[in-house]
Amino acid sequence: VRSIMFTDELAGNPAKKRAHEAKARRLRAKREKEAKELRKRKELERREQEAAPATAVIANGESSAGDIVPSSSSVSVGAGANTADAKTATPTAAAAPPPEALTAAQKAAEQRKLRAEARARLSAATSIQSMIRSKMVAATAREDQRSIFDKRMSDLIALAGILKQSTKAEYVPPPATVSIMTTQFLFFACPTTIRKHHPSGELTLNSGSMVMEERDLSRWTKLVKNLLLPGVFSDNLDLDPLLPWMETTGGTARLQKVLNLCVSSVSAKQAQSKKKKAKGQSPTKSLTSDSTYSCYSAVDSFLRTILRLNTSKEMGSSVQYHGGSSRDIVYQKSRSILIQPSTPKTTSQKDQNNEPCSCDLITSLRSVLLYGSTRKNPPIPGDAGRLRENCVTNDEKERASLLLRLVVDLIASLETHGADQMTLNCLCSRFISEVMTVPLLTWKVSPSSYERLVHNPSKQGAKKVPPLVVYIHRFINLNADEVSDGRVESALNMSDVSLTSCPAPAVLCLLASLIQIGRTCEALHGMNPTVLHYKAAAEYFNFLATLINSAPLGTFSSRMSAVEWVSIGSSSTPIVLSDVVIEQASAILSDSYVRALFTCAINDEELDTKKVINTKTDKDRKHEKDLEEIGTSSASTVAAKEAMVDRNRSFWQSSKWAKKLTSLISGSGEKMMPSKPSSSSKGVGKLMNTSSISRQLANGKGPINRTVTNAVLSSESTSDTKLKDSNPKRPHHEYSVLFLLALCRAYGTIISRWGGNGKEDLVKRAHQSLDNAKSGKEYASANVEPCVTALLNVLCFSTSFVMSSWSIIQSNPRVVSDLYAVIDVNKRAAPIRTLRTHPAYKRLQHSNYGAGDGNAGAVVLLMFVTCMSHTLIVTDDVEIHDMEKPIPKHQLRRCILLLKKLLYRACCIDDVHEATKSRRVMDSSHFGLALISTSSKAMNDLYNRSSRRFLCVPKFWIEEGLLEQDLRRCKTHYDYTLLLSTPVCRICPFLISFKRRLKLFERIITTNRIDIQGSNEQRNLKPGIMVKVMRGRVLEDGLAHLNKLGRDMRQRIVVSYLSEAGARETGIDVGGLFKEFWSDLSSLAFDPNYVLFKNTEGSLMYPNPSSKLAHGSDHIVLFEFLGRILGKAMYEGITIQPQFAHLFLSFLRGDHTYLHLLTDLSTIDSQLYDNLMFLKNYDGDVSDLCLTFTVANDDFGISEVPLIANGANIDVTNANKRRYIYLVAKHHVSDRIKEQSDAFTRGLWDVIDRSWLRLFNEPELQVLISGASDGKIDVSDMKSNTRYVGGYTMLDINIKRFWSVVSSFSPKHQADLLRFVTSCERPPPLGFASMNPPFTIQRVGIMRDGDKLPSAATCFNTLKLPTYSSETVLRKKLSFAITAGAGFELT
C-alpha cells in the first residue's frame, strides 16, 4: 500500500500525466481496432470451415503478458489461408483489405517501455522509503544528541558552580569541549538538508535554516553563556575557543554558523517543535519572557565582546576582545560577516520564509522592523492609528532595539578605530537608506535605543555632532550627485518593499523618522540655545529640505486621504498613503517646535539687525525728500498728473547717440563697446512678449543697472559678518547664521510646495512646468494649505523673523551674492522660474557641516516676502507709516527696488536673453514659480497701499521704456490685446508708466469701437441703435431702452431728444448728443438720493447696503444697469462725475483680495475702525469686554448677525481677537455690499472686458473713469492742445481775451464750459492732447455784440466763438451760454 501511495505521488506532474493518458488512449484504440478485425477474420474462417471442412487453420504468434486481447493467445492466418480466402471469399469480403498487424519490433519496443516505467516507479518508491527511513533515523539521532547535550551541559554548569564556591574563580571550559558541544548543537539545531538546485535540477547539500526550534532556545542560551562567553572573556588566549576555529575551514564555517545563529535567535521567532506528544503528555509550554531576554542578553554580550564594543552590564566585565593578531583575525572575520558595506542580495517577502536568515546586522534589523520576527507582519500595522506606540509588542521592540544598538555602536566603533572613510560612508548610507526608511521606526524600537543616534557623549562638556547628523553627512558624501539633483529616491533605492504592501514611500518614511528622532535631540530641536549645535542642526535641516522637496504632495495636504499613484505594468493604481506616517512627518509644523527653532536661530545681536535696519543712506534720504514734495496730494490727483507726464519722449532718452553722449559726459566709466546684431532680432514685425528695453538687454545692447541692487543689497556690515563667521578662535558650537539659512530652506520648501504659489506658471513661457511634465504627478498645491497658514502665523506674530531676515538679505555676504546672481542674468543664466531649494553638494568636498550651497539668498527672500505679505494682511496704514511696521518705510522702499528688479528679469529678460536662450531647456520648479508669484503679490499689495498713502513717488515703481516701441508697432485690436498677455502686463503692470497703460487701454477700446461701430474718419459709420429720450425722463427712458442690450451696448447708440411736449429736437446725433445723454444719465443714476449708492465720510460713493430694502429685488437689475452705464461711458471715452470709494473700485477690477479691509473700514465708519484698533492693541484680557462673534447692522432697525456659525455663543479672547477684527471688517467692507458689487461688475464687464481693467489699481481706475479727482481743468494743457479754425489764430485778440476769461473762471464754470463744448465736464485721463476730435475754437463773425451767443458743436468738440468787441462782453455772453442749460434753442 505504501509503495502504491508513493507511486501515485510521483505521478503528480499534470503535464506528464496528461501525456501518458493520451498515449494510453491511442494505444487502447489501436488494440481495440485490431481485436475487431481479428473477430471479423475469425467469423470469416468459421464460415469457410463450414463450407470447406478441408481448410486448415494455422495459428501463429505468441501471446504476451502485456497485450490486452480477448483470448490468451494471438491467432493469425497464414499465407496459404490467405490464398484460400482470396479464392473462396464472397465479393463483399474481398472488397475490404485486412489491416496491418503490429510488427515484432513495435511490440518489443512497447514492452521495453512498459518495463522501464515499472522499474522507475519501483526505484522512486524505494528512494522515498529510504529517505523517510533516513529522516526518521536522523530525527532519532538528533533527539539522542539533545539528551547527551543536556547531560553534558548540566555537568558543566554543576562543575562551574562547584569551582566557583571552592576557589571563587570562573570556570572556563577547554576549547576542545566548546568545539565539540558547539558542533553537537549545530547538528541537532541546524541540520544539513538536501535542496534541489533550481537552474540545473541537481540535488545538493545545503545548510539548514538558522531559525531554531523553540525548545532549542534555552540550550542555545546555555551554550553561549556557559561555553562561548567565558572563553572569549578570558585573558588567556589558550582558552579562547574561537582562535582554533580560524585555523581550519571547518572552524571558520562553524564561526559563521554561530554568528548566524546569534543574529537569527534575535531577529527571527523560533519555530514550534514538530515532535508528536505521547498520550497523556501535556503540551510544551512556550518560552517565558525571562528566558527570551536571557537569550538576548547572552547573545548581545557575545557579539559585543568579539566586535570589541562595550560589554553587557549583566556580565559585569570590562574586558575587551583584544590580545594580539590572533584575536584581530577573529574580530576582522566576525565584522566582515556581521556587517557589510554594501547591501547583500535580498529576497522578496514571499520567499523570506523559505530562505535562511541573513547574518548581516543591518539587513536583519530592517527585516525585523518591516515584517517582525515572524516575517508575516505588515510594515505598517493595521491598528497603528488607534494603538499608537503599542501597535508593536514589547518582544518585537526588544529584538529590534538590540539589533539597532549593535549596529549604531559597531559603526561608532569603526569610526573610533580608524576605518577607511569609504567603508564608513557606505555603512552610514546603508543605515540611512535601510533602517531610517522603515515606517514608524520610533514606535518599533525603544526610545533608549535610538537615543544613541542623538546623544554623543563627549569629554569636558564640549559639544559633538550627534551620530544621526554624522550618518546624514556621510550619506550625502556618498550620494552627493543624487542629493544635489533632488533625486534622493534613487539614492535610497529601496525596491524590496512596494507601495502596495507598505503605503508610504521610502522618502516619506525617512522624513518622518528623522523628524521624530530629531525632536528628541537637544543639539537639534532648539529648545535650549546653550546646548544647540548650530552647524549640525544646519546640516540636519538642509537634508530635511531635500526630503521635503521629494516627499509626496499629500504629506502636508489637508485632504482626508493622500493618494500616490503607483505604476503596475502599463496601468497606474492609486495607493492611499498611511495617515500615521504623515502625522509623524507633520510634527515639523508644530507651533511650539517652529517657534523654538526660529527663536534659537534668530540672534539679533549677532546679526546686527537694529544697525542694518535703522541705517539710512543718501539715496534713502533723497527718496524721502521726493516723497515730501508730493505733500498731501491724493493718489488720484498724483495719478492724473502722472498720466500727463511722458517719461520717454525726452530727446536725451530717445536718441541712441544722445544716450551714448550722456553716458560719456556722466563719466560712468563704462566702455561703449559696439554690440553685434542678434539673430533673434530678425523678426521685427513679430509681436514679442517683451518690452523694448528688455529686447535691448536680450540682444546684449546694455548692461543690467546695478544701482538698485547696490542700494538694496548694501554691504555696510559685511566685514563684521565675515569676521564673525571666519574667526577661528570662536568655539564651533556658538551661533552660526547657517542654522537660520537651513531653516529657511526647509520651511521655504514647504511654503513653495503647499503655499498655493508653486503650481501655476505666471510667466507662462513656452516650457512646461516640472509639476506637470513628468509622469503626471503634481509637485505643488494649487491652494494654500492650512498648515502653511499656521506656519506663517507663528513666524509673523511669534518671532521677529521679518525684521531679521530682511537684515540678513542686506548684510550676509553669501545671501547678497546669491541674490545678485538671481537678479543679474550675467551672473546666473538659468531663468528664475527654474530655481531649486535643495542644497547643492559636491562629491568628496562636503567637509563642513551645514555648508550646503545653492540659492540660499533666494530661499531667504522667499521666506521674507511671504511672511511680510502675511503680516501686511493685518497691518493698517497707521502702523506702516506711523509705527513703521513690519519694517521701516525706507526699508520698504529698498524691498520694492529689489522685487522690482526680480520681477523685471522674470517677466522681461528670462528665456529671451541670449545667455538664457543658449542653455538647455530647463523645467520650471515649484520654488522658482512660488518666488515669482509671491513677489508679484507682495508688490501688488505694496503698490495698492501706496495708492492710498504714498510709500514712494510714482516713478519709483517704473522701469523706463517698457511698452514704448510695442505700442508703436501695434496696428490692430488683436495686436493691442495681445500685449495684455505679456508677462509684465499680467504680473506687474505697475512697472509700466501710467501713461503707457492708459494709452494701451485707449487704443484697445478705440480699435474695438471702430471695428464694431465704424468711424467718421473712415466714412464707414454704422447706423446704430436709435434711442428716443425725453429730457425730463432720462433715467427711466434709458433703463427701458438700454438695459436689455447687454453686450450689444458696445454698438453705436443714436440719441434723439424729445421736448416735454413730445416734439423731437432739431439736433442730429453724430456723437455729441450721446455724450450729453450719457453724462446726464450717469449723474442721475449715481445720485445718492436714489438709495443705490451711499457716500463715505470723504464723499466717495459705494453701494448702499440697504438698497434691497428701498428697491426690493429690482435693486440687482438696477446695479447691473449702472454697471453698463459706467462701462459704456468708459467705452466711448466719456469721463463722468461720480467718485467711487477705494473698496468699491477693488470689486471693479475683479480681484478683490481682502487685504485692505481695515483701511477701507476707516473710510466708511471711522468710529468702528477706532474701536477695532483699540481692541487690536488692547493689552488686557479681551474676554473682560464681553464680546462675541456677532455684529449689529443698522438697516432701518438694529439686527444682530453672527460672523461665524454659532457666533453668539463664542466669546472673543486674546487668542482669537485678530480673527474677530478681520471678520468684522470683512462684514462691513465686503459682505454687506458683495451682492450689489457683483451685479454692478457683471454689467460693467458686459461692455469693458475684465482683463482690460487689471492694468490699473484703484486710484488709476478712478482717473480712468472721471479724470482728475479735484475736478480742476489744466487751462495751460487745454490751451496748448486747442485747434483754431475759421480765421482764428493763437495770436488773435479774441483768442487772448477768451483764455483770459477762462483762466479767471471758477473750477465749476470751467467744467460747465467743457461740458458746453464737449458734453463732458472732465477732460480725458490723458489730457486734452488725447481728445478726439481735439478741442476747437471756430471764428464766427458778427457786426454787433448782440447778434449771436457762443454756441457749440458737441459732436466735434467745437466752440463757435463770435468776435465780441471786448473782454467784458465775451465774459458775459460766454457765462450766459454755458449756464443757460438750453438745448439747441441758442444755436
Side-chain angles (χ1 to χ4, degrees):
V1 176
R2 180 175 295 179
S3 177
I4 295 174
M5 178 183 68
F6 289 135
T7 304
D8 292 339
E9 289 179 359
L10 287 175
N13 191 329
K16 185 176 181 181
K17 187 175 181 180
R18 288 194 296 271
H20 284 306
E21 290 176 354
K23 185 175 181 180
R25 284 196 301 271
R26 291 193 299 271
L27 186 60
R28 189 164 52 249
K30 184 176 182 181
R31 289 173 180 172
E32 288 178 356
K33 184 177 179 181
E34 292 175 355
K36 187 176 181 181
E37 294 296 333
L38 184 59
R39 285 194 299 272
K40 288 183 179 180
R41 287 195 295 271
K42 284 185 177 182
E43 181 66 23
L44 183 61
E45 289 173 1
R46 187 183 63 80
R47 291 178 182 178
E48 289 178 353
Q49 287 176 359
E50 291 177 356
T55 304
V57 179
I58 301 175
N60 294 325
E62 206 174 61
S63 63
S64 175
D67 293 337
I68 304 175
V69 293
S71 62
S72 60
S73 62
S74 298
V75 180
S76 60
V77 180
N82 290 338
T83 305
D85 291 342
K87 294 179 180 179
T88 60
T90 59
T92 305
E100 295 181 1
L102 289 175
T103 63
Q106 291 176 339
K107 291 181 179 181
E110 291 181 3
Q111 290 303 317
R112 286 194 302 271
K113 186 173 183 179
L114 292 175
R115 286 193 294 272
E117 291 176 355
R119 286 193 301 269
R121 294 189 186 97
L122 182 60
S123 176
T126 304
S127 300
I128 293 174
Q129 290 175 357
S130 176
M131 186 180 297
I132 293 298
R133 292 191 192 98
S134 65
K135 282 189 172 290
M136 293 175 65
V137 171
T140 304
R142 285 193 294 272
E143 291 299 326
D144 294 340
Q145 292 298 320
R146 282 188 174 92
S147 300
I148 297 172
F149 180 86
D150 292 340
K151 186 176 182 304
R152 290 178 177 176
M153 183 60 69
S154 61
D155 293 343
L156 283 174
I157 293 175
L159 179 61
I162 294 172
L163 185 62
K164 187 172 184 179
Q165 288 181 359
S166 60
T167 63
K168 305 298 182 181
E170 296 287 344
Y171 171 70
V172 180
T177 303
V178 176
S179 300
I180 292 173
M181 295 192 69
T182 303
T183 306
Q184 185 181 19
F185 180 83
L186 293 175
F187 169 74
F188 64 76
C190 306
T192 301
T193 58
I194 299 176
R195 189 175 292 267
K196 188 174 182 180
H197 191 259
H198 296 287
S200 61
E202 299 176 357
L203 295 176
T204 59
L205 295 177
N206 197 8
S207 297
S209 172
M210 291 293 108
V211 180
M212 295 178 293
E213 293 185 7
E214 191 175 26
R215 56 180 173 165
D216 292 331
L217 186 61
S218 60
R219 297 183 179 93
W220 170 247
T221 304
K222 294 176 182 178
L223 174 66
V224 175
K225 191 172 182 180
N226 298 295
L227 293 179
L228 295 176
L229 274 177
V232 299
F233 267 119
S234 175
D235 294 333
N236 190 350
L237 298 182
D238 294 334
L239 297 179
D240 191 343
L242 303 184
L243 297 182
W245 295 2
M246 304 307 298
E247 299 175 359
T248 62
T249 305
T252 305
R254 188 183 306 119
L255 175 62
Q256 184 168 1
K257 287 186 178 182
V258 168
L259 294 178
N260 206 336
L261 274 177
C262 289
V263 176
S264 65
S265 61
V266 177
S267 64
K269 192 162 184 74
Q270 286 68 39
Q272 296 292 331
S273 176
K274 298 180 180 179
K275 183 178 179 180
K276 294 184 178 179
K277 308 294 185 299
K279 291 184 178 180
Q281 181 179 354
S282 61
T284 304
K285 295 182 179 180
S286 61
L287 293 175
T288 61
S289 59
D290 293 338
S291 61
T292 304
Y293 294 150
S294 178
C295 175
Y296 297 161
S297 177
V299 169
D300 184 48
S301 299
F302 176 70
L303 292 178
R304 287 180 175 276
T305 302
I306 64 174
L307 293 175
R308 298 176 177 176
L309 308 178
N310 295 328
T311 55
S312 175
K313 295 179 181 179
E314 182 180 341
M315 300 303 299
S317 174
S318 59
V319 178
Q320 297 295 323
Y321 195 65
H322 298 282
S325 59
S326 299
R327 281 186 168 175
D328 287 341
I329 296 175
V330 177
Y331 166 70
Q332 295 292 342
K333 182 63 177 178
S334 302
R335 194 189 74 182
S336 63
I337 293 174
L338 289 174
I339 192 164
Q340 304 173 21
S342 60
T343 304
K345 183 179 180 182
T346 57
T347 57
S348 63
Q349 183 187 7
K350 180 179 178 181
D351 298 331
Q352 282 182 358
N353 294 330
N354 300 325
E355 295 291 336
C357 292
S358 173
C359 194
D360 183 79
L361 287 175
I362 296 180
T363 303
S364 301
L365 174 58
R366 177 174 174 81
S367 180
V368 172
L369 291 172
L370 281 176
Y371 306 113
S373 59
T374 62
R375 305 297 191 269
K376 296 180 180 179
N377 298 338
I380 301 177
D383 53 357
R386 178 176 59 87
L387 298 178
R388 316 293 292 173
E389 293 85 352
N390 298 324
C391 64
V392 180
T393 62
N394 292 332
D395 180 64
E396 297 289 350
K397 285 185 179 180
E398 186 63 27
R399 293 173 185 267
S401 300
L402 189 150
L403 292 174
L404 180 62
R405 288 192 292 267
L406 278 173
V407 171
V408 174
D409 291 346
L410 182 54
I411 295 176
S413 174
L414 292 175
E415 190 167 3
T416 303
H417 291 91
D420 62 283
Q421 295 299 314
M422 183 55 67
T423 301
L424 289 173
N425 289 344
C426 293
L427 290 176
C428 293
S429 179
R430 282 196 61 196
F431 186 88
I432 292 294
S433 60
E434 297 183 37
V435 179
M436 297 299 295
T437 56
V438 174
L440 308 180
L441 174 63
T442 54
W443 291 0
K444 295 180 178 180
V445 295
S446 62
S448 60
S449 61
Y450 63 77
E451 183 181 312
R452 298 168 184 258
L453 292 171
V454 297
H455 179 64
N456 196 348
S458 57
K459 299 180 180 179
Q460 299 178 355
K463 296 181 183 178
K464 295 186 68 176
V465 179
L468 179 64
V469 180
V470 175
Y471 294 171
I472 293 173
H473 186 77
R474 295 190 177 278
F475 175 83
I476 294 173
N477 277 341
L478 190 65
N479 305 278
D481 295 338
E482 291 83 355
V483 176
S484 298
D485 295 339
R487 296 180 289 109
V488 68
E489 301 96 332
S490 60
L492 297 175
N493 193 22
M494 285 290 100
S495 58
D496 57 334
V497 181
S498 63
L499 276 180
T500 54
S501 60
C502 176
V507 173
L508 177 58
C509 295
L510 177 57
L511 175 64
S513 299
L514 288 177
I515 291 173
Q516 291 297 314
I517 296 176
R519 293 189 68 187
T520 65
C521 180
E522 292 183 347
L524 300 179
H525 60 46
M527 297 298 177
N528 187 356
T530 59
V531 298
L532 179 69
H533 196 299
Y534 284 92
K535 292 187 177 180
E539 181 82 0
Y540 170 76
F541 279 98
N542 275 331
F543 188 62
L544 285 188
T546 303
L547 297 179
I548 293 171
N549 187 67
S550 303
L553 188 60
T555 303
F556 302 118
S557 175
S558 60
R559 292 177 294 183
M560 295 297 295
S561 59
V563 178
E564 183 80 358
W565 287 86
V566 180
S567 298
I568 302 178
S570 59
S571 61
S572 297
T573 302
I575 301 295
V576 179
L577 300 181
S578 172
D579 293 338
V580 287
V581 180
I582 291 177
E583 179 184 348
Q584 286 192 341
S586 300
I588 194 175
L589 294 172
S590 170
D591 290 353
S592 58
Y593 185 51
V594 174
R595 187 180 300 109
L597 287 174
F598 279 90
T599 301
C600 277
I602 297 173
N603 189 329
D604 289 329
E605 293 183 1
E606 293 283 344
L607 297 174
D608 288 336
T609 301
K610 290 185 178 180
K611 177 181 178 181
V612 175
I613 293 298
N614 295 328
T615 300
K616 289 185 180 181
T617 63
D618 293 338
K619 291 184 178 181
D620 292 327
R621 287 185 280 271
K622 180 179 182 301
H623 294 324
E624 291 179 352
K625 184 177 180 181
D626 293 341
L627 192 60
E628 291 175 356
E629 293 177 357
I630 297 179
T632 58
S633 301
S634 65
S636 298
T637 302
V638 175
K641 293 180 179 178
E642 193 68 20
M644 307 293 293
V645 177
D646 191 347
R647 301 185 181 278
N648 300 103
R649 293 182 61 185
S650 170
F651 168 77
W652 298 102
Q653 293 180 350
S654 59
S655 173
K656 291 183 179 180
W657 70 266
K659 289 181 180 180
K660 294 181 180 180
L661 182 60
T662 303
S663 63
L664 289 175
I665 295 174
S666 61
S668 60
E670 296 183 0
K671 297 181 180 181
M672 305 302 296
M673 300 295 294
S675 57
K676 298 181 180 179
S678 172
S679 59
S680 61
S681 61
K682 295 180 179 179
V684 178
K686 184 178 179 181
L687 188 64
M688 299 175 63
N689 291 342
T690 54
S691 68
S692 57
I693 287 186
S694 66
R695 285 197 301 276
Q696 292 176 10
L697 292 173
N699 296 329
K701 297 181 180 179
I704 297 290
N705 186 4
R706 300 183 184 272
T707 56
V708 175
T709 51
N710 287 332
V712 177
L713 306 176
S714 61
S715 56
E716 296 177 2
S717 58
T718 299
S719 58
D720 297 338
T721 308
K722 287 183 179 179
L723 290 175
K724 291 175 183 177
D725 287 343
S726 61
N727 190 355
K729 297 182 180 180
R730 297 182 63 208
H732 70 279
H733 60 271
E734 291 188 5
Y735 178 79
S736 173
V737 74
L738 296 177
F739 179 41
L740 180 56
L741 298 183
L743 287 179
C744 291
R745 192 185 304 278
Y747 288 97
T749 305
I750 295 176
I751 290 175
S752 65
R753 290 195 64 189
W754 289 275
N757 297 314
K759 185 176 180 63
E760 183 183 3
D761 188 354
L762 295 181
V763 180
K764 293 182 180 178
R765 297 292 187 190
H767 311 297
Q768 291 294 327
S769 172
L770 177 67
D771 300 346
N772 302 320
K774 297 182 179 179
S775 66
K777 289 185 179 181
E778 293 184 350
Y779 285 86
S781 174
N783 301 311
V784 182
E785 298 293 344
C787 64
V788 175
T789 303
L791 171 63
L792 293 177
N793 287 337
V794 174
L795 293 178
C796 296
F797 308 123
S798 299
T799 67
S800 60
F801 178 77
V802 175
M803 194 82 72
S804 301
S805 59
W806 182 241
S807 172
I808 292 174
I809 289 174
Q810 300 180 82
S811 60
N812 185 269
R814 177 178 172 185
V815 175
V816 171
S817 177
D818 286 344
L819 286 179
Y820 267 124
V822 171
I823 295 174
D824 192 346
V825 70
N826 296 317
K827 285 184 172 290
R828 184 183 186 274
I832 294 178
R833 60 177 178 80
T834 63
L835 290 175
R836 302 289 195 267
T837 57
H838 48 76
Y841 301 104
K842 296 180 180 179
R843 184 180 293 274
L844 301 179
Q845 295 181 7
H846 180 227
S847 57
N848 297 326
Y849 286 94
D853 297 326
N855 301 328
V859 170
V860 178
L861 181 61
L862 173 67
M863 289 285 290
F864 163 74
V865 173
T866 306
C867 291
M868 186 185 67
S869 298
H870 191 74
T871 306
L872 288 176
I873 296 177
V874 294
T875 305
D876 62 342
D877 290 348
V878 175
E879 291 175 312
I880 292 177
H881 291 272
D882 299 338
M883 303 172 66
E884 294 192 334
K885 293 183 178 180
I887 56 177
K889 285 190 293 183
H890 71 279
Q891 297 291 348
L892 275 179
R893 285 189 283 270
R894 294 186 185 183
C895 177
I896 291 170
L897 285 174
L898 176 60
L899 297 183
K900 181 175 75 171
K901 288 298 179 184
L902 185 144
L903 291 176
Y904 177 63
R905 176 183 172 176
C907 297
C908 302
I909 299 179
D910 280 348
D911 298 314
V912 179
H913 193 277
E914 288 298 326
T916 61
K917 288 168 62 178
S918 61
R919 294 176 64 90
R920 62 183 178 87
V921 176
M922 300 180 65
D923 293 320
S924 300
S925 69
H926 56 81
F927 173 74
L929 299 179
L931 181 59
I932 296 174
S933 178
T934 306
S935 301
S936 171
K937 291 179 181 179
M939 285 288 280
N940 277 288
D941 186 15
L942 292 173
Y943 186 65
N944 291 333
R945 286 182 179 273
S946 186
S947 67
R948 298 171 175 273
R949 187 174 174 183
F950 291 109
L951 294 171
C952 54
V953 293
K955 65 180 180 180
F956 202 80
W957 302 89
I958 298 172
E959 278 290 339
E960 301 291 347
L962 285 177
L963 224 64
E964 180 182 3
Q965 294 185 3
D966 296 312
L967 287 173
R968 296 175 183 173
R969 187 176 59 251
C970 295
K971 301 298 181 183
T972 64
H973 176 73
Y974 175 77
D975 294 339
Y976 287 111
T977 53
L978 198 60
L979 287 179
L980 295 176
S981 62
T982 57
V984 67
C985 289
R986 288 185 293 102
I987 301 175
C988 44
F990 43 80
L991 297 183
I992 309 170
S993 67
F994 182 40
K995 184 179 183 66
R996 290 279 168 257
R997 284 178 280 142
L998 274 176
K999 187 170 291 186
L1000 174 60
F1001 178 81
E1002 184 267 334
R1003 295 309 303 158
I1004 288 175
I1005 286 186
T1006 301
T1007 52
N1008 184 257
R1009 186 172 65 243
I1010 292 175
D1011 293 342
I1012 295 176
Q1013 300 179 9
S1015 65
N1016 288 322
E1017 292 80 0
Q1018 299 179 5
R1019 300 182 180 275
N1020 60 350
L1021 195 64
K1022 298 179 182 179
I1025 300 173
M1026 178 64 69
V1027 176
K1028 295 182 180 180
V1029 181
M1030 293 187 65
R1031 289 195 176 272
R1033 291 176 50 86
V1034 172
L1035 181 59
E1036 293 80 358
D1037 291 345
L1039 178 63
H1041 292 93
L1042 301 177
N1043 194 39
K1044 58 185 178 181
L1045 294 180
R1047 200 160 185 84
D1048 289 338
M1049 287 280 277
R1050 291 188 179 185
Q1051 296 185 16
R1052 178 171 174 254
I1053 296 176
V1054 181
V1055 176
S1056 177
Y1057 272 110
L1058 302 178
S1059 65
E1060 295 181 358
R1064 180 177 178 180
E1065 295 185 359
T1066 57
I1068 299 176
D1069 187 11
V1070 192
L1073 290 181
F1074 169 75
K1075 289 191 292 183
E1076 180 183 355
F1077 162 67
W1078 217 255
S1079 299
D1080 294 337
L1081 180 63
S1082 61
S1083 61
L1084 291 172
F1086 293 102
D1087 189 347
N1089 295 326
Y1090 204 60
V1091 200
L1092 287 176
F1093 278 86
K1094 189 176 181 179
N1095 284 336
T1096 66
E1097 297 176 359
S1099 300
L1100 301 177
M1101 302 177 65
Y1102 69 100
N1104 194 331
S1106 305
S1107 61
K1108 186 175 182 179
L1109 298 177
H1111 297 277
S1113 59
D1114 292 339
H1115 77 125
I1116 297 299
V1117 177
L1118 293 173
F1119 274 107
E1120 289 182 352
F1121 177 58
L1122 294 184
R1124 294 187 182 98
I1125 290 177
L1126 178 60
K1128 183 63 173 177
M1130 297 171 67
Y1131 190 77
E1132 298 292 342
I1134 302 173
T1135 53
I1136 59 177
Q1137 183 66 29
Q1139 299 284 315
F1140 296 111
H1142 191 283
L1143 62 96
F1144 181 57
L1145 291 170
S1146 298
F1147 280 99
L1148 302 188
R1149 297 175 65 243
D1151 57 352
H1152 197 286
T1153 56
Y1154 306 101
L1155 297 179
H1156 310 288
L1157 296 176
L1158 290 174
T1159 307
D1160 288 331
L1161 180 64
S1162 65
T1163 62
I1164 62 177
D1165 194 336
S1166 58
Q1167 183 178 0
L1168 177 60
Y1169 170 79
D1170 293 339
N1171 293 337
L1172 292 180
M1173 288 301 99
F1174 167 79
L1175 179 63
K1176 179 180 178 180
N1177 301 316
Y1178 185 63
D1179 295 332
D1181 189 357
V1182 176
S1183 58
D1184 296 338
L1185 302 179
C1186 300
L1187 297 173
T1188 60
F1189 276 81
T1190 57
V1191 65
N1193 289 339
D1194 186 7
D1195 294 332
F1196 303 104
I1198 303 299
S1199 61
E1200 192 174 82
V1201 179
L1203 296 174
I1204 56 177
N1206 196 28
N1209 299 321
I1210 300 177
D1211 295 331
V1212 179
T1213 63
N1214 289 337
N1216 60 18
K1217 68 178 182 179
R1218 290 183 180 274
R1219 185 186 183 195
Y1220 172 78
I1221 294 171
Y1222 170 81
L1223 290 176
V1224 171
K1226 180 175 178 291
H1227 174 77
H1228 286 280
V1229 173
S1230 175
D1231 295 345
R1232 296 189 69 193
I1233 64 172
K1234 190 176 188 313
E1235 186 180 16
Q1236 297 91 324
S1237 300
D1238 289 344
F1240 190 93
T1241 54
R1242 283 197 301 271
L1244 173 65
W1245 295 342
D1246 279 345
V1247 187
I1248 301 296
D1249 195 273
R1250 182 179 182 178
S1251 62
W1252 302 351
L1253 299 177
R1254 288 185 174 176
L1255 290 170
F1256 312 100
N1257 64 4
E1258 288 80 0
E1260 294 168 349
L1261 190 58
Q1262 183 62 59
V1263 173
L1264 196 66
I1265 294 172
S1266 56
S1269 59
D1270 54 7
K1272 295 181 180 179
I1273 295 177
D1274 189 350
V1275 178
S1276 60
D1277 178 52
M1278 182 179 180
K1279 181 178 179 181
S1280 60
N1281 291 282
T1282 298
R1283 186 179 62 174
Y1284 305 99
V1285 295
Y1288 275 146
T1289 64
M1290 192 174 181
L1291 300 177
D1292 193 282
I1293 184 61
N1294 290 288
I1295 296 300
K1296 292 181 179 181
R1297 293 170 181 171
F1298 171 79
W1299 290 120
S1300 176
V1301 170
V1302 172
S1303 299
S1304 64
F1305 276 171
S1306 65
K1308 177 66 171 60
H1309 276 66
Q1310 291 177 352
D1312 291 339
L1313 171 63
L1314 190 60
R1315 176 182 172 84
F1316 177 76
V1317 179
T1318 65
S1319 297
C1320 300
E1321 294 183 353
R1322 296 175 178 271
L1326 290 172
F1328 286 93
S1330 63
M1331 181 175 287
N1332 187 26
F1335 189 87
T1336 305
I1337 300 179
Q1338 180 180 347
R1339 184 178 185 278
V1340 177
I1342 58 175
M1343 299 298 295
R1344 294 180 300 273
D1345 291 338
D1347 288 349
K1348 287 185 178 181
L1349 289 172
S1351 61
T1354 56
C1355 300
F1356 306 101
N1357 298 331
T1358 300
L1359 172 65
K1360 299 177 181 179
L1361 183 64
T1363 54
Y1364 294 114
S1365 60
S1366 65
E1367 182 176 338
T1368 303
V1369 175
L1370 175 61
R1371 180 189 305 275
K1372 181 179 178 181
K1373 298 292 184 179
L1374 186 59
S1375 298
F1376 178 79
I1378 62 178
T1379 57
F1384 294 92
E1385 291 83 357
L1386 297 178
T1387 304

